[in-house]
């Protein structure tokens, strides 16, 4: 799995961090998403898919 | 049932989330996505922000590219409107005359902008709900006012923009228009902007920000429009010159200079080159005329988002029994559209699983239907102020507002109903604290306990 972000679009909702805190974080200044792990281990994959699906700004793209 | 499609009506945030979830959860049968707009699914929140501002091109709003949609193997029918649904047979009627018998239907038709009588036949009066609406308004704002000018940015005169409606949408548009250098008047029936959504104290803080940025705030009801004869270049419609307020309207403090004059028939006039009507919306349910459905204020659903057997709803259009709050609720929030689209899709599949083995994943055990119980979330951006809220902020009978820093518009507010804390709103706090506050209002909590937990979550360090 490989993750890319279009962080420009991030509205700082923080849902990704709630769902997958090992993979995503937010910048302290403005809450914009930060990628902690662009190629997370299998144990994280479900959470990452869920975060990508729920993100209200379509920021997170997951590649196989 | 074999071979019948699941149809999703409404090709926007909720509809797309439903379609994707149906595939992810194992639906291999035909999947039809019907949307009356001509565009691929796009995102609405940026319409009143980055798109209106001109910072983003329309392509940036696409929720998925054609390539990203391809694996869904959709029967995608854009520019097509659903005009009827027979609940007993789950048959949709489309405006091209098609009758589509379905295994299940998910209704995600959202809401449409409300407007004022006659407004659609006056040039220069706009609403803001769709991409086409936003592009039309943006092109007027970008051109500015002076004839032949290259726009405000190039030194052209700002337009006199009157925004009718001081809710969230009107406030966001006011912020963008001011940033573009236009002369903005925000008119509302309520004296305080956004009061219905966030209460008067937070609304007053936002009012201060708008005034500081030069927006004129006016309280009053709009009675109609003054117009000038059509400019041939504009097509046949008369062009707006002013917004007419009902008698008794007054400026709500801090208005720089007495704006407006009195109309011949009484009532104040607000001169306008351009008008945005942002007075709320109505659920897009007029096409649902089957008496088996309750379409009173949105499509009424049970806790599983089901409106009838095999018929589910999601997003702005759906009013469902929130299991935690114990009453029917409907949200016009972006986050809810996705979450409810996913929930409705899962529950529909769970309902169909026993009866439709041909479509559902054979190996996967049938999932149970689950009540949809989200923690509601919304945000709004105005100037540099970002507002975020969890839970229920509208309809509170008690609000406690803590202004952390007035000049920086940092604020935290707790909203209560029937003795419990049910919502929290934050502006200008660090993301970690904001996230921690979600848990406080995940379910109604005794008021004092909520206050203590908020104090703990926002304590420095
Ligand atoms: C300008 C603007 C700014 C916003 N900003 C924010 C924000 O900052 N934060 C936030 O939380 N929320 C915001 N929202 C709200 C958010 O965009 C909505 O909650 C979300 O778009 C709802 O998604 P939906 O799929 O339920 O409905 P919609 O997005 O309304 O989509 C419904 C679709 O169905 C189509 N349709 C309707 N009837 C039919 C029919 N009979 N047949 C076929 N198709 C039909 C419609 O044309 C539309 O494309 C904003 C909304 C707007 C308009
Ligand atoms: S969920 Fe999406 S919008 Fe929210 S912080 Fe994460 S990436 Fe940004």
């Amino acid at each position: 799995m490989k993750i890319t972000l279009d962080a420009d679009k991030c509205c700082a909702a923080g849902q990704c961090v709630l769902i997958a805190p090992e993979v995503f974080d937010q910048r302290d200044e403005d809450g914009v998403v930060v990628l902690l792990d662009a190629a997370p281990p299998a144990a994280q994959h479900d959470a990452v898919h869920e975060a990508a699906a729920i993100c209200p700004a379509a920021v997170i793209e997951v590649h196989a | 049932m074999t071979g019948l499609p699941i149809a999703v009506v409404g090709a926007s945030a909720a509809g797309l989330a439903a379609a994707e979830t149906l595939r992810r959860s194992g639906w291999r049968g035909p999947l039809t996505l019907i949307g009356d707009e001509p565009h691929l699914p796009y995102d609405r929140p940026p319409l009143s922000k980055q798109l209106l501002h001109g910072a983003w091109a329309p392509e940036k709003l696409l929720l998925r590219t054609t390539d990203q949609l391809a694996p869904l193997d959709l029967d995608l029918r854009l520019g097509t409107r659903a005009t009827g649904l027979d609940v007993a047979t789950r048959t949709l009627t489309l405006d091209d005359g098609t009758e589509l018998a379905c295994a299940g239907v998910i209704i995600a038709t959202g809401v449409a902008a409300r407007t004022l009588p006659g407004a659609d036949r006056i040039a220069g009066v706009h609403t803001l709900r769709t991409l086409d609406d936003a592009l039309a308004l943006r092109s007027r704002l970008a051109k500015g006012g002076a004839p032949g000018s290259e726009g405000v940015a190039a030194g052209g005169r700002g337009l006199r923009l009157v925004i009718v409606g001081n809710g969230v949408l009107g406030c966001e548009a006011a912020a963008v228009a001011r940033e573009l250098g236009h002369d903005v008047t925000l008119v509302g029936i309520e004296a305080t902007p956004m009061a219905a959504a966030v209460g008067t104290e937070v609304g007053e803080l936002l009012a201060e920000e708008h005034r500081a940025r030069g927006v004129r705030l006016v309280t009053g009801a709009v009675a109609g429009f003054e117009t000038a004869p059509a400019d041939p270049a504009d097509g046949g419609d008369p062009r707006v010159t002013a917004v007419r307020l009902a008698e008794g309207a007054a400026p709500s403090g801090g208005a720089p200079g007495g704006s407006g004059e009195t109309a011949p028939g009484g009532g104040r006039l607000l001169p306008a080159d351009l008008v945005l009507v942002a007075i709320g919306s109505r659920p897009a349910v007029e096409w649902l005329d089957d008496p088996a459905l309750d379409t009173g204020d949105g499509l009424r659903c049970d806790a599983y988002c089901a409106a009838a057997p095999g018929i589910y709803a999601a997003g702005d259009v759906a009013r469902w029994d929130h299991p935690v709050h114990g009453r029917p609720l409907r949200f016009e929030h972006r986050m809810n559209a996705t979450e409810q689209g996913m929930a409705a899709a899962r529950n529909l599949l769970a309902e169909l699983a026993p009866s439709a083995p041909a479509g559902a994943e054979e190996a996967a055990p049938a999932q149970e239907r689950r009540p949809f119980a989200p923690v509601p979330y919304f945000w709004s951006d105005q100037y540099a102020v970002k507002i975020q809220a969890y839970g229920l902020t509208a309809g509170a009978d008690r609000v406690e507002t803590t202004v952390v820093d007035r000049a920086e518009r940092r604020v935290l507010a707790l909203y209560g109903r029937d003795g419990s804390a049910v919502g929290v709103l934050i502006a200008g706090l660090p993301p970690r604290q904001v996230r921690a506050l979600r848990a406080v209002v995940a379910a109604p909590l005794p008021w004092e306990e909520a206050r203590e937990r908020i104090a703990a979550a926002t304590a420095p360090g």
Side-chain angles (χ1 to χ4, degrees):
Chain A
M1 169 183 278
K2 190 167 162 11
I3 303 170
T4 54
L5 298 180
D6 193 347
D8 215 25
K9 294 201 288 192
C10 176
C11 68
Q15 301 296 323
C16 54
V17 189
L18 286 165
I19 296 170
E22 325 250 299
V23 182
F24 303 103
D25 199 357
Q26 288 173 278
R27 283 205 303 244
D28 259 332
E29 319 86 83
D30 53 8
V32 166
V33 63
V34 175
L35 193 54
L36 300 176
D37 188 350
Q44 296 291 330
H45 288 188
D46 279 355
V48 169
H49 278 296
E50 186 79 5
I54 271 191
C55 167
V59 169
I60 304 166
E61 204 182 329
V62 183
H63 313 266
Chain B
M1 277 244 174
T2 327
L4 291 183
I6 291 180
V8 179
V9 188
S12 186
L16 177 70
E20 289 188 332
T21 305
L22 287 166
R23 286 303 188 213
R24 266 183 72 201
S25 306
W27 175 255
R28 304 269 175 275
L31 180 53
T32 306
L33 180 60
I34 301 153
D36 62 357
E37 293 186 69
H39 311 288
L40 286 176
Y42 61 87
D43 212 6
R44 265 172 240 282
L47 293 178
S48 54
K49 307 175 183 76
Q50 297 89 342
L51 186 103
L52 196 60
H53 199 285
W56 290 6
E59 299 78 60
K60 183 126 181 151
L61 271 57
L62 280 187
L63 288 168
R64 302 289 181 270
T65 60
T66 315
D67 285 354
Q68 290 168 326
L69 288 176
L72 294 179
D73 190 18
L74 289 177
D75 171 8
L76 182 59
R77 307 199 191 182
L78 297 177
T80 304
R81 169 176 283 271
T83 53
L85 170 64
D86 183 75
V87 169
T89 62
R90 300 179 198 175
T91 303
L92 283 168
T93 315
L94 309 182
D95 65 356
D96 57 10
T98 314
E99 301 238 319
L100 192 65
C102 303
V105 177
I106 295 177
I107 294 163
T109 46
V111 298
R114 284 180 57 215
T115 185
L116 291 165
D120 55 337
R121 290 186 308 278
I122 302 175
V125 179
H126 295 247
T127 53
L128 179 51
R129 179 75 200 173
T130 67
L131 177 59
D132 295 342
D133 293 343
L135 288 174
L137 188 59
R138 155 168 140 164
S139 90
R140 288 295 315 273
L141 290 176
K143 284 198 196 96
S149 86
E150 289 296 307
V152 180
R157 174 173 67 86
L159 291 173
R160 293 167 304 175
L161 170 67
V162 174
I163 300 176
V164 182
N166 59 4
V168 182
L169 185 67
C171 286
E172 290 187 356
V176 169
R178 272 309 294 151
E179 284 171 349
L180 292 174
H182 296 287
D183 174 61
V184 181
T185 304
L186 188 58
V187 189
I189 298 174
E190 294 289 331
T192 310
M194 288 186 36
V198 301
T200 47
E201 283 175 274
V202 173
E204 193 43 50
L205 198 77
L206 290 168
E208 280 175 26
E209 181 70 9
H210 282 286
R211 284 195 202 101
R213 304 279 184 154
V215 174
R216 197 176 297 113
L217 302 181
V218 174
T219 309
V222 169
F225 302 101
E226 302 291 313
T227 56
D231 182 336
D234 260 349
D237 291 329
R239 169 154 290 282
V240 72
T241 56
V243 171
R244 185 161 18 89
L245 298 181
E247 258 175 281
S252 95
S259 68
E261 47 205 89
T262 303
R268 218 169 124 214
L269 283 185
L270 302 171
D273 304 308
L274 190 63
V275 173
L276 171 62
V277 179
I279 55 170
S281 52
R282 46 181 180 73
V285 292
E286 69 296 329
W287 63 283
L288 295 166
D289 53 3
D290 191 311
L293 300 175
D294 172 356
T295 56
D297 172 19
L299 179 55
R300 186 75 163 80
C301 300
D302 64 14
Y304 302 94
C305 310
I311 314 283
Y312 287 71
D316 286 10
V317 75
R319 170 180 297 276
W320 91 106
D321 289 323
H322 194 299
V324 174
H325 292 283
R327 60 193 169 105
L329 293 171
R330 189 171 70 77
F331 294 106
E332 298 185 10
H333 300 166
R334 177 62 181 82
M335 191 59 210
N336 186 65
T338 303
E339 286 189 297
Q340 198 166 19
M342 296 168 75
R346 286 180 183 137
N347 284 342
L348 171 61
L349 280 189
E351 181 186 325
L352 295 182
S355 63
E361 181 84 293
E362 317 255 313
Q367 299 282 325
E368 289 259 316
R369 292 203 312 162
R370 270 192 249 141
F372 177 55
V375 181
Y377 170 83
F378 91 92
W379 81 96
S380 173
D381 296 300
Q382 292 160 42
Y383 312 102
V385 183
K386 178 181 289 292
I387 295 160
Q388 296 180 281
Y390 288 111
L392 311 182
T393 56
D397 56 27
R398 180 176 192 181
V399 185
E400 183 174 308
T401 309
T402 311
V403 179
V404 181
D405 182 335
R406 185 138 218 130
E408 293 286 323
R409 316 290 181 220
R410 289 202 184 143
V411 65
L412 192 152
L414 186 64
Y415 300 78
R417 202 178 148 108
D418 302 330
S420 298
V422 290
V424 60
L425 177 145
I426 315 98
L429 296 188
R432 223 168 305 279
Q433 294 185 357
V434 174
R435 286 200 306 271
L437 294 174
R438 179 182 190 270
V440 178
V441 292
L445 196 68
W447 183 262
E448 287 306 325
E449 200 179 327
R451 294 187 68 216
E452 280 163 31
R453 290 186 57 184
I454 284 189
T458 55

